[in-house]
Amino acid sequence: ETGVTQTPRHLVMGMTNKKSLKCEQHLGHNAMYWYKQSAKKPLELMFVYNFKEQTENNSVPSRFSPECPNSSHLFLHLHTLQPEDSALYLCASSQDKRGGDEQFFGPGTRLTVL
Amino acid sequence: RKEVEQDPGPFNVPEGATVAFNCTYSNSASQSFFWYRQDCRKEPKLLMSVYSSGNEDGRFTAQLNRASQYISLLIRDSKLSDSATYLCVVNEASGGYQKVTFGTGTKLQVIP
C-alpha cells in the first residue's frame, strides 16, 4: 500500500546529529499527524497539521521540530536527541481532523538514538 | 484514571474460539470510537468504527456502551491471522478540533 509513505524506514543517529523524517500522503487528505510509539506505551500524539496549519503540539520538546510545506508532505526535524527518544515514529493522515475521521498510517520510521 | 484503558493481555485463545476485549474511556463527552489492529512491527490499520447502535463486520462485532463508558470488540471463530494487537481509539472535541487518544492495546495470540 502506498497511501502514506515514510522515509527513512530505519534511522540510527548520535545525540549530536541532525536528521529529518519525511512523510508523504497520496490520499488527498487535509490533516497530517506525527505519533511516537515506544515499547509498552500507547501511541503518543506529537503534532497535528490541518490544512498546513499546526493545530496541536502536545508539549513536545523543542528538539523535535515539525514542518508542513503543503497538505501532502510532513517533516519531523530532529536535533540533539536523547536515547529515550528512540522509538517508532508514525505519520498519519485523515480527511479532516475536525471530523474524527479514520486515520491512515504510514509504515513508520524506527529511530535509534545512540 | 487513564483517558483510555485497555487490558494489555496477552489473550491466548485456540483457533475457533470467541474472544472479547473491552476498552474504557474517561471523558463522557467523547464522540467517536474506533478499533485499530496493529501487527508486530507494522503500522496500525483501521479495523472498524464503533457506532452507538453497534456494528458487525463478518466475524467482528463492535459495541458502544455510553452509560458505562466502554466499547467492546468481539471476535468469533478466531483465526491464526487474527493474532495482533487491537488498539482502542477515542475521539473527543477539544478547542474546535478532535482530540485523538489511543489505548495501549490488547495483544491477541490465536494458537493452533
Side-chain angles (χ1 to χ4, degrees):
Chain A
E1 294 182 25
T2 57
V4 182
T5 58
Q6 288 186 245
T7 55
R9 295 293 306 276
H10 300 272
L11 178 62
V12 179
M13 58 187 289
M15 292 166 60
T16 57
N17 292 157
K18 286 185 181 182
K19 297 285 184 184
S20 294
L21 309 185
K22 179 183 176 182
C23 175
E24 185 172 359
Q25 58 97 358
H26 311 273
L27 301 169
H29 288 164
N30 297 313
M32 296 187 77
Y33 311 74
W34 278 117
Y35 286 90
K36 175 183 178 182
Q37 188 172 36
S38 304
K40 312 255 183 230
K41 286 187 176 181
L43 264 75
E44 300 171 56
L45 181 63
M46 300 174 71
F47 301 104
V48 182
Y49 279 82
N50 208 51
F51 293 93
K52 298 188 298 178
E53 291 186 16
Q54 185 174 316
T55 56
E56 199 154 334
N57 175 341
N58 279 348
S59 303
V60 180
S62 59
R63 57 186 184 271
F64 295 91
S65 173
E67 179 190 359
C68 188
N70 55 60
S71 293
S72 300
H73 293 86
L74 186 64
F75 295 89
L76 187 63
H77 304 299
L78 317 171
H79 63 97
T80 59
L81 294 192
Q82 305 297 312
E84 61 264 28
D85 295 324
S86 299
L88 179 68
Y89 288 85
L90 290 159
C91 173
S93 72
S94 67
Q95 182 59 41
D96 182 335
K97 183 181 186 298
R98 286 167 289 186
D101 298 319
E102 171 189 0
Q103 295 186 31
F104 292 79
F105 285 83
T109 295
R110 190 159 295 279
L111 173 67
T112 302
V113 181
L114 302 176
Chain B
R1 184 180 175 183
K2 291 181 183 176
E3 292 182 73
V4 177
E5 200 154 1
Q6 294 182 252
D7 182 342
F11 284 59
N12 296 314
V13 303
E15 266 187 293
T18 295
V19 62
F21 311 134
N22 280 346
C23 167
T24 57
Y25 60 94
S26 60
N27 187 344
S28 59
S30 297
Q31 298 174 314
S32 56
F33 309 87
F34 304 88
W35 283 103
Y36 279 73
R37 170 192 169 133
Q38 186 171 24
D39 292 290
C40 188
R41 304 187 76 83
K42 295 282 186 76
E43 72 274 20
K45 292 185 180 179
L46 180 71
L47 179 65
M48 57 200 306
S49 304
V50 187
Y51 304 121
S52 298
S53 55
N55 49 309
E56 186 173 316
D57 183 3
R59 299 181 291 108
F60 298 83
T61 301
Q63 299 270 352
L64 167 63
N65 186 318
R66 285 195 182 272
S68 301
Q69 293 182 207
Y70 74 86
I71 65 172
S72 63
L73 177 68
L74 181 78
I75 305 176
R76 289 179 297 277
D77 189 22
S78 300
K79 311 290 184 193
L80 295 176
S81 57
D82 294 334
S83 299
T85 296
Y86 291 83
L87 302 168
C88 165
V89 180
V90 176
N91 287 0
E92 59 185 79
S94 174
Y97 293 94
Q98 293 281 328
K99 178 184 172 186
V100 181
T101 306
F102 280 76
T104 51
T106 297
K107 187 171 182 180
L108 171 66
Q109 185 69 46
V110 181
I111 49 183

